[in-house]
Amino acid sequence: MASDTSPVPGAFVHPRALCESIKIGTGTRIWAFAHVLAGATIGADCNICDHVFIEDDVIIGDRVTVKSGVQLWNGLRLADDVFVGPNATFSNDKFPRSKQYLAQVERTDVGRGASIGAGAVILPGIKVGPLAMVGAGAVVTHDVPARAIVSGNPARIVGYVNTPRVEQPAVAPPSSAPGPSGAIGVRGVALHPLTLVEDLRGMLAAGEFLSQVPFAPLRFFLVFDVPGKEVRGEHAHRRCHQFLVCIRGSVSVVVDDGTSSAEIVLRTADQGLYVPPLTWAVQYRYSTDAMLLVFASDHYDPADYIRDYEDFLSVVSA
């Protein structure tokens, strides 16, 4: 039941909280010693714990939990189902000075279903993607991709949420017929064995298009000299098929069909990873010597890319 201090019907405001906003959703609970300024917007069924401060230009979605000791400053946007752990810190000014105010603060976005761990620090202008997880005490200095798990100072990607890792075998298993050596558990994605020949003159890897590689490419590109902390990909294609071969070093590839996901570690040149259209793909954990060869079924077309994860989920669900 709402207390007498509740500014809107259906919301609960503890008698020792100060809530100046009337833009509070039904079922939301604001606990003791929290202070919500008049301009703030809080959605339905949220839980705002003790000693939380929320400034005017803050928008919070539905079913959000903000634990004790958190300050939400102007420019912050929390989407639905976000969790913010105790004493997490957000900032909105890269160069703060006493009594000097920005005409426009930098906006920080935390995507749907993301979690911010206890004591994490999020710098201004950062985007934390949907379903991402920021570890306790992490210092986030760059955008966090959708579903990524980051930790450390500065924060680095250490994995992806609900994404089992598949280690590529050192040598492709023998196959009596060309084709995939095994499904990954993500719709259409599979490892395909290539031909490997070794003799005194060295090593040779080869593949036949339309048999070992399941399409005839119109384009190829190489990715190399990638700093280990960087992430590439982070998109899906509407029509284009791709085939990835790590010809030197190692790289981890995360594939996601909107329902299931997996991480495949590519480390040999005698296997390729087939990625069909409408598969979200990310490459990270490049070794310092990594070189990734990618065959594509189509010429480059910016309109073929889906670069927003939420848009990708909408397309595959349709």
Side-chain angles (χ1 to χ4, degrees), residues 12 21 33 60 64 67 88 128 131 156 158 162 202 260 262 270 312:
F12 170 84
S21 174
F33 311 112
I60 299 175
V64 172
K67 301 299 283 185
V128 177
L131 302 175
R156 296 285 182 261
V158 296
N162 296 328
S260 301
D270 65 334
F312 162 72

Side-chain angles (χ1 to χ4, degrees), residues 56-79:
D56 284 291
D57 182 23
V58 173
I59 299 176
I60 299 175
D62 298 335
R63 299 173 301 280
V64 172
T65 296
V66 183
K67 301 299 283 185
S68 299
V70 176
Q71 298 85 44
L72 305 181
W73 305 110
N74 285 338
L76 182 61
R77 306 290 186 264
L78 304 180

Side-chain angles (χ1 to χ4, degrees), residues 168-169 171-173 179-182 184 188-195 205-207 211-215 242-247 253 264-275 292-295:
Q168 184 187 31
V171 178
S181 61
I184 301 301
V189 178
L191 282 166
H192 289 245
L194 303 174
T195 301
S211 56
Q212 291 166 305
V213 181
F215 59 86
Q242 292 190 322
F243 192 82
L244 286 62
V245 183
C246 188
I247 59 178
V253 182
I264 303 94
V265 182
L266 299 178
R267 62 175 81 256
T268 66
D270 65 334
Q271 290 186 84
L273 181 69
Y274 170 60
V275 180
L292 183 66
L293 171 64
V294 182
F295 295 108

Side-chain angles (χ1 to χ4, degrees), residues 63-67 79-86 110-111 113-118:
R63 299 173 301 280
V64 172
T65 296
V66 183
K67 301 299 283 185
D80 295 347
D81 302 302
V82 165
F83 173 87
V84 181
V110 180
S115 292
I116 310 296

